[in-house]
Amino acid sequence: MPKQPLLPRKKPRQARAAVTVETILEAAARVLSKRSLDGFNTNRIAEVAGVSVGSIYQYFPNKAALVAALIGRAQDSLADAVERSLQRSQGQRLERVLLALIDVAIEHQFGDAVLAAALDHEEQRLPLGQMLSATQHRIAKAVQEALQAHPELAKTTVTATTTIDCFTIAKALIESEATRPKPDLAALRKRVLLALQGYLLQPATKTIPRKRTRTDTQSVQESP
Amino acid sequence: MPKQPLLPRKKPRQARAAVTVETILEAAARVLSKRSLDGFNTNRIAEVAGVSVGSIYQYFPNKAALVAALIGRAQDSLADAVERSLQRSQGQRLERVLLALIDVAIEHQFGDAVLAAALDHEEQRLPLGQMLSATQHRIAKAVQEALQAHPELAKTTVTATTTIDCFTIAKALIESEATRPKPDLAALRKRVLLALQGYLLQPATKTIPRKRTRTDTQSVQESP
DNA sequence: ACCTGAACACCGTTCAAGT
DNA sequence: ACCTGAACACCGTTCAAGT
């Protein structure tokens, strides 16, 4: 049962080593982006990076850790884009705020579709656990605060779960469109907006009679 | 560039061969369900099935085809459950109809969580193309017709895209909850309902000014 | 401290030989 | 027609040897 560590094995201490690590990550991204998961093997990565396979294993304990590092980078870049977007759309109508965020997400997915899709899949499969949660919490918190503060959502309780659901919904619709032969981004944008507005601006949610279950308490969690 | 075929290589002609195929598929499902993608190798499958590796390759051209067969089975079983659910909830309020479908989806995902999650991921990664579309179209069509005919959705145009979006949204929220340490199914059920109702029962969608794009035509596709 | 690449282990797939 | 399992190819990972 190989409980594989996903953290980098050690940090480069010399300048040239830092370059090596950078080169490896770039090569990995390029290989993943060109041929997706097939052909994504350490030998090819080493070849593209112009280093020996052994060098990869000096810094990453296994292939999964390499992928985890790429995911971390993608998350960081997304987090920056989200925060910039929130700042730019401050004080605007909710529709504008949401559209701006949707555009960020679409750009993130379609900017390098193959890479983004591959990373998304690996993100699910790897037991990343906490590793990425720092950045993810950073994004989620920023969005949650923006939504909570928005006048049009005065009547909506925006919990952490609500925010994460919005991410989940938007991501799923965007990824789904990305797998189509001829994506229609304008229509996609509308559909995601509709879904998010619908989820957030629900008209007077009446309590629903439902089948018996164990956990019949408060349905939304508090923010951490 | 191995464009791998995903269809079964040949059908068993003798009774004992049919048993072999069945045994292989069951073993594959069991292995996948126990250890997910790690440890899901042909040698183990053959061992669990009590046959030789060679036997697997008599009926399936590669490992992916085996997975594809499992996915096909899961889809068939889901399709049946959906159709039964629609029949039972005929004539009921929209909320009831949706909740019944949501329960089917939740049961499908949580019934064998590891297996379902693994199959979902592979479903994305493999170029299944048409292969499964038969069953998927069957499900989608049944749901679309039920929604279109529903009085509460008289004002909503329920296209094929609308229906697929509902599937995408529900599936994403359910899968997301499935990865949590302690899933709260009652709360999940409510959230999915909220999302679907919000998407379907949108109050007077005003047209939205948006950035210029090529495709500025009708945003929803016709049903096939 | 960093890099190399041959060597090892594991796993997908094939094929000659069997019934 | 079906089944077997040793053999081959490929790829992840290690490690002794180098700078």
Side-chain angles (χ1 to χ4, degrees), chain B residues 13-14 20 52 55 58-59:
Chain B
R13 310 211 171 189
Q14 296 178 7
T20 302
S52 157
S55 290
Q58 275 203 5
Y59 301 100

Short mmCIF file of all heavy atoms in Angstrom, two decimals, chain B residues 13-14 20 52 55 58-59, chain D residues 1-7:
data_model
loop_
_atom_site.label_atom_id
_atom_site.label_comp_id
_atom_site.label_asym_id
_atom_site.label_seq_id
_atom_site.Cartn_x
_atom_site.Cartn_y
_atom_site.Cartn_z
N ARG B 13 -19.06 -17.06 -27.81
CA ARG B 13 -20.03 -17.86 -28.57
C ARG B 13 -20.51 -19.08 -27.79
O ARG B 13 -21.56 -19.63 -28.04
CB ARG B 13 -19.40 -18.34 -29.88
CG ARG B 13 -18.74 -17.22 -30.64
CD ARG B 13 -18.77 -17.41 -32.13
NE ARG B 13 -18.29 -16.18 -32.78
CZ ARG B 13 -18.36 -15.97 -34.08
NH1 ARG B 13 -18.87 -16.88 -34.87
NH2 ARG B 13 -17.93 -14.84 -34.60
N GLN B 14 -19.68 -19.50 -26.87
CA GLN B 14 -20.08 -20.65 -26.07
C GLN B 14 -20.53 -20.18 -24.69
O GLN B 14 -20.15 -19.10 -24.23
CB GLN B 14 -18.91 -21.63 -25.93
CG GLN B 14 -18.46 -22.25 -27.23
CD GLN B 14 -17.28 -23.17 -27.05
OE1 GLN B 14 -16.89 -23.45 -25.92
NE2 GLN B 14 -16.72 -23.64 -28.16
N THR B 20 -17.05 -16.68 -18.52
CA THR B 20 -15.72 -16.09 -18.36
C THR B 20 -15.79 -14.57 -18.43
O THR B 20 -15.25 -13.86 -17.56
CB THR B 20 -14.77 -16.60 -19.46
OG1 THR B 20 -14.70 -18.02 -19.39
CG2 THR B 20 -13.38 -16.01 -19.28
N SER B 52 -6.68 -16.63 -16.69
CA SER B 52 -5.37 -16.13 -17.12
C SER B 52 -5.51 -14.75 -17.75
O SER B 52 -6.58 -14.40 -18.28
CB SER B 52 -4.78 -17.11 -18.13
OG SER B 52 -3.83 -16.46 -18.94
N SER B 55 -6.95 -14.46 -21.18
CA SER B 55 -8.40 -14.54 -21.37
C SER B 55 -9.04 -13.16 -21.44
O SER B 55 -10.00 -12.93 -22.18
CB SER B 55 -9.03 -15.35 -20.24
OG SER B 55 -8.68 -16.71 -20.36
N GLN B 58 -8.75 -11.74 -24.85
CA GLN B 58 -9.53 -12.37 -25.92
C GLN B 58 -10.80 -11.60 -26.16
O GLN B 58 -11.34 -11.58 -27.27
CB GLN B 58 -9.88 -13.80 -25.53
CG GLN B 58 -8.79 -14.76 -25.86
CD GLN B 58 -9.32 -16.16 -25.99
OE1 GLN B 58 -10.51 -16.39 -25.93
NE2 GLN B 58 -8.41 -17.08 -26.18
N TYR B 59 -11.30 -10.94 -25.14
CA TYR B 59 -12.59 -10.26 -25.27
C TYR B 59 -12.48 -8.74 -25.23
O TYR B 59 -13.33 -8.04 -25.75
CB TYR B 59 -13.54 -10.77 -24.19
CG TYR B 59 -13.75 -12.25 -24.30
CD1 TYR B 59 -13.07 -13.14 -23.47
CD2 TYR B 59 -14.55 -12.77 -25.30
CE1 TYR B 59 -13.23 -14.51 -23.60
CE2 TYR B 59 -14.71 -14.14 -25.44
CZ TYR B 59 -14.05 -15.00 -24.59
OH TYR B 59 -14.20 -16.35 -24.74
P DA D 1 -15.21 -20.03 -34.51
OP1 DA D 1 -14.33 -20.99 -35.06
OP2 DA D 1 -16.01 -19.06 -34.97
"O5'" DA D 1 -15.22 -20.17 -32.93
"C5'" DA D 1 -16.14 -21.09 -32.33
"C4'" DA D 1 -15.71 -21.30 -30.90
"O4'" DA D 1 -14.57 -22.20 -30.88
"C3'" DA D 1 -15.25 -20.03 -30.17
"O3'" DA D 1 -16.07 -19.88 -29.03
"C2'" DA D 1 -13.78 -20.28 -29.82
"C1'" DA D 1 -13.69 -21.80 -29.86
N9 DA D 1 -12.37 -22.32 -30.29
C8 DA D 1 -11.71 -22.03 -31.44
N7 DA D 1 -10.56 -22.66 -31.57
C5 DA D 1 -10.45 -23.39 -30.40
C6 DA D 1 -9.47 -24.26 -29.92
N6 DA D 1 -8.35 -24.55 -30.59
N1 DA D 1 -9.67 -24.84 -28.71
C2 DA D 1 -10.81 -24.55 -28.05
N3 DA D 1 -11.81 -23.75 -28.41
C4 DA D 1 -11.57 -23.19 -29.61
P DC D 2 -15.87 -18.69 -28.01
OP1 DC D 2 -17.10 -18.58 -27.22
OP2 DC D 2 -15.34 -17.54 -28.77
"O5'" DC D 2 -14.73 -19.22 -27.03
"C5'" DC D 2 -15.02 -20.35 -26.21
"C4'" DC D 2 -13.75 -20.81 -25.55
"O4'" DC D 2 -12.76 -21.13 -26.53
"C3'" DC D 2 -13.09 -19.77 -24.65
"O3'" DC D 2 -13.33 -20.15 -23.30
"C2'" DC D 2 -11.61 -19.82 -25.01
"C1'" DC D 2 -11.52 -21.06 -25.89
N1 DC D 2 -10.46 -21.02 -26.93
C2 DC D 2 -9.35 -21.85 -26.79
O2 DC D 2 -9.26 -22.59 -25.80
N3 DC D 2 -8.37 -21.82 -27.74
C4 DC D 2 -8.50 -21.03 -28.80
N4 DC D 2 -7.52 -21.04 -29.71
C5 DC D 2 -9.62 -20.18 -28.97
C6 DC D 2 -10.59 -20.20 -28.01
P DC D 3 -12.88 -19.14 -22.14
OP1 DC D 3 -13.69 -19.45 -20.94
OP2 DC D 3 -12.80 -17.78 -22.67
"O5'" DC D 3 -11.40 -19.65 -21.82
"C5'" DC D 3 -11.21 -20.94 -21.30
"C4'" DC D 3 -9.74 -21.26 -21.27
"O4'" DC D 3 -9.22 -21.14 -22.61
"C3'" DC D 3 -8.91 -20.28 -20.43
"O3'" DC D 3 -8.51 -20.94 -19.23
"C2'" DC D 3 -7.72 -19.91 -21.32
"C1'" DC D 3 -7.84 -20.88 -22.50
N1 DC D 3 -7.36 -20.34 -23.79
C2 DC D 3 -6.14 -20.79 -24.29
O2 DC D 3 -5.49 -21.62 -23.65
N3 DC D 3 -5.70 -20.30 -25.49
C4 DC D 3 -6.43 -19.41 -26.16
N4 DC D 3 -5.96 -18.97 -27.34
C5 DC D 3 -7.68 -18.94 -25.67
C6 DC D 3 -8.11 -19.42 -24.48
P DT D 4 -7.63 -20.14 -18.15
OP1 DT D 4 -7.83 -20.81 -16.85
OP2 DT D 4 -7.89 -18.71 -18.31
"O5'" DT D 4 -6.15 -20.42 -18.62
"C5'" DT D 4 -5.67 -21.77 -18.70
"C4'" DT D 4 -4.24 -21.77 -19.16
"O4'" DT D 4 -4.19 -21.27 -20.51
"C3'" DT D 4 -3.33 -20.84 -18.35
"O3'" DT D 4 -2.42 -21.65 -17.63
"C2'" DT D 4 -2.62 -19.96 -19.38
"C1'" DT D 4 -2.95 -20.63 -20.70
N1 DT D 4 -3.13 -19.71 -21.87
C2 DT D 4 -2.20 -19.72 -22.86
O2 DT D 4 -1.21 -20.43 -22.85
N3 DT D 4 -2.47 -18.85 -23.90
C4 DT D 4 -3.56 -18.00 -24.03
O4 DT D 4 -3.69 -17.28 -25.00
C5 DT D 4 -4.50 -18.05 -22.94
C7 DT D 4 -5.72 -17.18 -22.96
C6 DT D 4 -4.24 -18.89 -21.92
P DG D 5 -1.78 -21.13 -16.26
OP1 DG D 5 -1.52 -22.33 -15.43
OP2 DG D 5 -2.59 -20.02 -15.74
"O5'" DG D 5 -0.37 -20.54 -16.74
"C5'" DG D 5 0.47 -21.35 -17.55
"C4'" DG D 5 1.57 -20.50 -18.16
"O4'" DG D 5 1.03 -19.75 -19.27
"C3'" DG D 5 2.15 -19.45 -17.21
"O3'" DG D 5 3.51 -19.24 -17.56
"C2'" DG D 5 1.37 -18.21 -17.57
"C1'" DG D 5 1.30 -18.38 -19.08
N9 DG D 5 0.30 -17.58 -19.74
C8 DG D 5 -0.83 -17.03 -19.19
N7 DG D 5 -1.55 -16.38 -20.05
C5 DG D 5 -0.87 -16.50 -21.25
C6 DG D 5 -1.16 -15.99 -22.53
O6 DG D 5 -2.13 -15.32 -22.89
N1 DG D 5 -0.20 -16.36 -23.47
C2 DG D 5 0.92 -17.11 -23.20
N2 DG D 5 1.72 -17.35 -24.22
N3 DG D 5 1.19 -17.59 -22.00
C4 DG D 5 0.27 -17.25 -21.07
P DA D 6 4.63 -19.31 -16.47
OP1 DA D 6 4.54 -20.63 -15.80
OP2 DA D 6 4.57 -18.07 -15.68
"O5'" DA D 6 5.94 -19.30 -17.37
"C5'" DA D 6 6.06 -20.22 -18.45
"C4'" DA D 6 6.53 -19.51 -19.71
"O4'" DA D 6 5.46 -18.68 -20.23
"C3'" DA D 6 7.73 -18.58 -19.50
"O3'" DA D 6 8.59 -18.70 -20.62
"C2'" DA D 6 7.08 -17.19 -19.40
"C1'" DA D 6 5.92 -17.34 -20.38
N9 DA D 6 4.78 -16.45 -20.13
C8 DA D 6 4.14 -16.22 -18.94
N7 DA D 6 3.13 -15.39 -19.03
C5 DA D 6 3.09 -15.06 -20.37
C6 DA D 6 2.24 -14.21 -21.11
N6 DA D 6 1.22 -13.53 -20.57
N1 DA D 6 2.47 -14.10 -22.44
C2 DA D 6 3.49 -14.79 -22.98
N3 DA D 6 4.35 -15.61 -22.39
C4 DA D 6 4.09 -15.70 -21.06
P DA D 7 9.89 -17.79 -20.76
OP1 DA D 7 10.85 -18.62 -21.52
OP2 DA D 7 10.22 -17.25 -19.44
"O5'" DA D 7 9.42 -16.58 -21.71
"C5'" DA D 7 9.12 -16.85 -23.06
"C4'" DA D 7 8.93 -15.54 -23.80
"O4'" DA D 7 7.71 -14.91 -23.33
"C3'" DA D 7 10.06 -14.52 -23.60
"O3'" DA D 7 10.36 -13.92 -24.84
"C2'" DA D 7 9.45 -13.51 -22.61
"C1'" DA D 7 7.97 -13.56 -22.99
N9 DA D 7 7.05 -13.18 -21.91
C8 DA D 7 7.12 -13.54 -20.58
N7 DA D 7 6.14 -13.07 -19.85
C5 DA D 7 5.38 -12.33 -20.76
C6 DA D 7 4.20 -11.58 -20.60
N6 DA D 7 3.56 -11.43 -19.44
N1 DA D 7 3.69 -10.98 -21.71
C2 DA D 7 4.34 -11.13 -22.87
N3 DA D 7 5.45 -11.82 -23.14
C4 DA D 7 5.92 -12.41 -22.02
#
